[in-house]
Amino acid sequence: MKKIINQLFFLLLAGVLIVSCKKDENKNYFEGGTAPVLTSSSTGPLVLLQADKANTAVTFNWTNPDFKFTTGISSQDVNYTLQVDTMGANFSSGNLKEQTIPKNLSITYNVGDLNQLFASWQENVDHNFEFRIKATVNGTATTAIYSNVVSMVVKPYLDVAVALPLTDRLYLIGSATPGGDATGWNNPVPVPSQQLTKISSTVWKITIPLIGGKQFLVIPDNGSWSHKYAVNGSLVTWSGGEFGYDKNDNFPGPPTSGTYTITLNFKTGKFSVTQ
């Protein structure tokens, strides 16, 4: 009887080993694919105009990379990412832009959307851009393969989320500022101490001592209350958020007194307050 039990034990052990070996043999290993071939409907140069923002600008097409595994060609979802960067930056600069395109083998941009893709670059200037496609299985970085590079000269236009000041000047006013009177809203304000500095065509900044727990506004015409840049108070914090032209609420100042830098970005429609 003992001999029979031992024989049965070894038979069961052999069966387990065989099943284990079969499982190992059936593991699915990634074996790569074929680099996508990227083509563009336009070779440029593209001069983007705000008046044409609804018109088609360019279509990019690419081939299927046919990802392969040990069990055959992948039937899993393939994700594509269009990458764009300055020529020669090797798609590694701080301005690199990426747009994910699940499953599709093409993408079409109208002028407005394409212009948004270039929001980090200077407007109304020719730029040499490079485009490529990154293909992955289910977004897994280890499966990434890249297409050829398509080069194109593009001139983006100035597009802003908030209307720029017609005066080309901005002033800080309010109870949070040093120039406030007894009520905190003396207008006009002292200059140049409360005049913002224009950093670029769409960015203004000022570094100034602020009184904690108070408020402020930004006005385009010193001495006038005709227009203002303000916020929707329920949608922002003192450190930042969206601002707009002639909105209803004052900017909330920082909770504690100190020297702060206020930045208004008209392209993004966002402001920030940093110490």
Side-chain angles (χ1 to χ4, degrees):
M1 175 64 79
K2 185 175 181 181
K3 183 177 180 181
I4 293 172
I5 292 173
N6 287 339
Q7 288 175 340
L8 288 173
F9 173 76
F10 285 114
L11 284 172
L12 287 172
L13 181 60
V16 170
L17 290 173
I18 290 170
V19 171
S20 177
C21 289
K22 285 184 177 179
K23 286 183 178 179
D24 287 342
E25 290 172 0
N26 288 333
K27 282 185 178 178
N28 198 12
Y29 294 99
F30 178 62
E31 294 187 326
T34 304
V37 177
L38 176 65
T39 58
S40 168
S41 63
S42 174
T43 57
L46 290 179
V47 179
L48 305 182
L49 301 174
Q50 189 166 19
D52 298 332
K53 65 188 310 179
N55 296 342
T56 297
V58 64
T59 297
F60 294 100
N61 295 279
W62 54 93
T63 57
N64 192 317
D66 291 329
F67 285 114
K68 292 182 177 62
F69 291 80
T70 50
T71 56
I73 294 177
S74 174
S75 60
Q76 302 178 71
D77 290 341
V78 178
N79 291 325
Y80 302 100
T81 302
L82 181 69
Q83 298 181 316
V84 56
D85 206 347
T86 305
M87 182 177 289
N90 197 30
F91 298 94
S92 60
S93 81
N95 286 332
L96 171 68
K97 292 294 180 293
E98 297 183 313
Q99 180 163 352
T100 301
I101 311 146
K103 303 181 184 180
N104 294 331
L105 293 174
S106 69
I107 185 170
T108 297
Y109 287 97
N110 62 28
V111 170
D113 290 338
L114 189 63
N115 196 73
Q116 280 295 313
L117 198 62
F118 304 129
S120 297
W121 285 276
Q122 185 179 350
E123 312 86 4
N124 301 316
V125 174
D126 286 337
H127 296 277
N128 293 297
F129 291 112
E130 292 183 326
F131 302 81
R132 73 178 180 185
I133 285 290
K134 173 185 176 182
T136 59
V137 177
N138 294 327
T140 306
T142 55
T143 65
I145 58 176
Y146 298 87
S147 74
N148 57 300
V149 173
V150 170
S151 301
M152 191 183 306
V153 176
V154 183
K155 179 187 285 187
Y157 61 83
L158 176 60
D159 194 13
V160 293
V162 177
L164 294 166
L166 296 178
T167 61
D168 204 35
R169 293 183 297 275
L170 291 173
Y171 305 89
L172 198 68
I173 188 170
S175 57
T177 68
D181 62 3
T183 65
W185 294 92
N186 187 42
N187 192 4
V189 301
V191 292
S193 61
Q194 287 182 214
Q195 182 172 354
L196 281 75
T197 299
K198 187 176 181 180
I199 304 301
S200 71
S201 58
T202 58
V203 176
W204 270 260
K205 282 187 178 184
I206 186 171
T207 298
I208 189 171
L210 295 178
I211 303 168
K214 305 294 185 177
Q215 300 178 334
F216 63 88
L217 287 171
V218 177
I219 56 175
D221 191 3
N222 197 16
S224 171
W225 287 111
S226 297
H227 297 288
K228 64 184 184 296
Y229 291 99
V231 298
N232 181 337
S234 64
L235 300 179
V236 302
T237 66
W238 71 266
S239 62
E242 295 184 356
F243 74 98
Y245 191 61
D246 283 343
K247 285 188 176 290
N248 294 326
D249 301 322
N250 300 331
F251 290 85
T256 58
S257 299
T259 299
Y260 294 85
T261 297
I262 300 170
T263 303
L264 301 182
N265 189 323
F266 286 78
K267 180 177 283 191
T268 63
K270 301 289 181 67
F271 77 94
S272 67
V273 180
T274 57
Q275 192 168 26

